[in-house]
Amino acid sequence: MKSWIRAARLRTLPLALASIGMGSFLAHAYHSFDFQIFALSLLTTLLLQILSNLANDYGDAIHGADSADRKGPSRAVQSGEITRGQMRTAIFIFAFLSLLSGSYLLYVSDLSKSTLYIFLTLGLLSILAAVLYTNGKLPYGYVGLGDFFVFLFFGIVGVLGVFYLQVKTMHWDVWLPAASCGLFTVAVLNINNIRDIDSDKLAGKFSIPVRLGLRRARIYHVSLLGLGLLLSIIYVVLNFNSPTQFLFLLVVPLLFANAKSVSTKPKEELDPFLKQMAITNLVFVLTFGLSIIL
């Protein structure tokens, strides 16, 4: 059981809560919050996050990215704690559970037929994206596209999707905090990839840090945090009613601490800051949401 819990990588689950929370807080701003849709969206996203983590564990073991040269925590398949067959079974189970939960979410959302098909397609693409990050003949995580898809699904699709399911319409300005969520989630992935830059290079995994090099990958990280904060500030300026809307700026010291650590510490010491960035993203969403409620 401990091996399965480690393979699920619980420390990454705040990322799922952050995207669904942001979309729901924004829906509340438009007086359209629906708890049932929020709960089912959260359940579906958590299942997809765990699916992605299990598939990543399996795929990296198959392709050799998880090896003795890797600096992070040991992985379940690579270490032999979970067999490849067991992990494949778990991947199929969580893919099915994600599909089941997502289908029920769409059922209770009362969408038009055309919109239903769009969301069903996005759901299937989410499952494929979770599995194919490190699996298949040409996993997109190995060619440097991981950041783009994380931004897309944890920012744009995750936040705007749950927003639309509740509000039943779209507003262009909500793209700004959605992008902030996506950028902060990419920052979590970037810390992971900076830590693993040497072992990824040996395994032929051309992540963004491998392509940019260590120094520029650190600059890229600071840029992700700065741009994510800026976009949310612009959203508040465009919708300004009260100074309490800037409550989310309380997260700035956490972002600064993360940026400083990633920029200065040896890459082998960055693992704790992966969890710190995931929690920082969640704190950002909670303070952003509290400012909306206030």
Side-chain angles (χ1 to χ4, degrees), residues 58-131:
Y58 177 82
D60 276 345
I62 295 295
H63 290 97
D66 287 344
S67 65
D69 299 308
R70 189 173 173 277
K71 301 302 181 183
S74 63
R75 296 303 185 208
V77 175
Q78 184 272 332
S79 65
E81 295 178 10
I82 297 173
T83 68
R84 293 184 180 185
Q86 289 172 329
M87 188 61 83
R88 282 196 300 269
T89 300
I91 290 170
F92 280 115
I93 290 173
F94 274 90
F96 174 75
L97 291 175
S98 300
L99 181 60
L100 191 65
S101 177
S103 297
Y104 187 63
L105 166 63
L106 297 182
Y107 171 76
V108 302
S109 296
D110 191 27
L111 301 171
S112 66
K113 184 176 291 187
S114 59
T115 306
L116 175 64
Y117 289 149
I118 291 173
F119 271 88
L120 184 59
T121 300
L122 287 173
L124 293 173
L125 289 175
S126 297
I127 293 174
L128 285 175
V131 174

Side-chain angles (χ1 to χ4, degrees), residues 114-163:
S114 59
T115 306
L116 175 64
Y117 289 149
I118 291 173
F119 271 88
L120 184 59
T121 300
L122 287 173
L124 293 173
L125 289 175
S126 297
I127 293 174
L128 285 175
V131 174
L132 296 180
Y133 176 61
T134 59
N135 288 280
K137 293 183 178 180
L138 189 63
Y140 64 86
Y142 279 67
V143 294
L145 293 176
D147 292 44
F148 170 77
F149 280 97
V150 163
F151 173 78
L152 180 65
F153 285 102
F154 280 91
I156 305 305
V157 174
V159 176
L160 299 185
V162 72
F163 174 82

Side-chain angles (χ1 to χ4, degrees), residues 116-294:
L116 175 64
Y117 289 149
I118 291 173
F119 271 88
L120 184 59
T121 300
L122 287 173
L124 293 173
L125 289 175
S126 297
I127 293 174
L128 285 175
V131 174
L132 296 180
Y133 176 61
T134 59
N135 288 280
K137 293 183 178 180
L138 189 63
Y140 64 86
Y142 279 67
V143 294
L145 293 176
D147 292 44
F148 170 77
F149 280 97
V150 163
F151 173 78
L152 180 65
F153 285 102
F154 280 91
I156 305 305
V157 174
V159 176
L160 299 185
V162 72
F163 174 82
Y164 185 90
L165 289 177
Q166 296 177 74
V167 182
K168 301 298 189 294
T169 187
M170 189 56 66
H171 298 268
W172 74 267
D173 55 346
V174 298
W175 285 71
L176 296 170
S180 294
C181 249
L183 290 167
F184 290 154
T185 306
V186 172
V188 176
L189 176 63
N190 191 54
I191 297 172
N192 180 85
N193 290 339
I194 290 175
R195 181 199 65 196
D196 295 343
I197 190 170
D198 292 332
S199 58
D200 284 349
K201 191 180 299 184
L202 289 172
K205 185 177 182 180
F206 295 101
S207 64
I208 294 297
V210 170
R211 291 183 180 276
L212 292 179
L214 182 58
R215 185 182 67 84
R216 285 186 290 182
R218 286 172 163 166
I219 296 173
Y220 171 62
H221 186 78
V222 175
S223 300
L224 291 171
L225 301 185
L227 182 58
L229 186 63
L230 176 63
L231 292 178
S232 288
I233 292 174
I234 293 174
Y235 172 84
V236 171
V237 170
L238 293 174
N239 295 276
F240 183 77
N241 290 302
S242 165
T244 58
Q245 289 174 270
F246 287 104
L247 185 64
F248 69 92
L249 292 179
L250 290 172
V251 82
V252 168
L254 295 175
L255 292 173
F256 178 80
N258 187 269
K260 182 179 179 181
S261 297
V262 173
S263 298
T264 59
K265 289 186 176 294
K267 57 184 181 299
E268 296 83 4
E269 299 178 11
L270 293 182
D271 191 66
F273 300 98
L274 190 153
K275 179 180 179 180
Q276 189 256 4
M277 187 60 223
I279 294 175
T280 297
N281 189 19
L282 181 57
V283 172
F284 160 72
V285 170
L286 292 175
T287 52
F288 191 94
L290 182 59
S291 72
I292 289 176
I293 293 173
L294 292 176

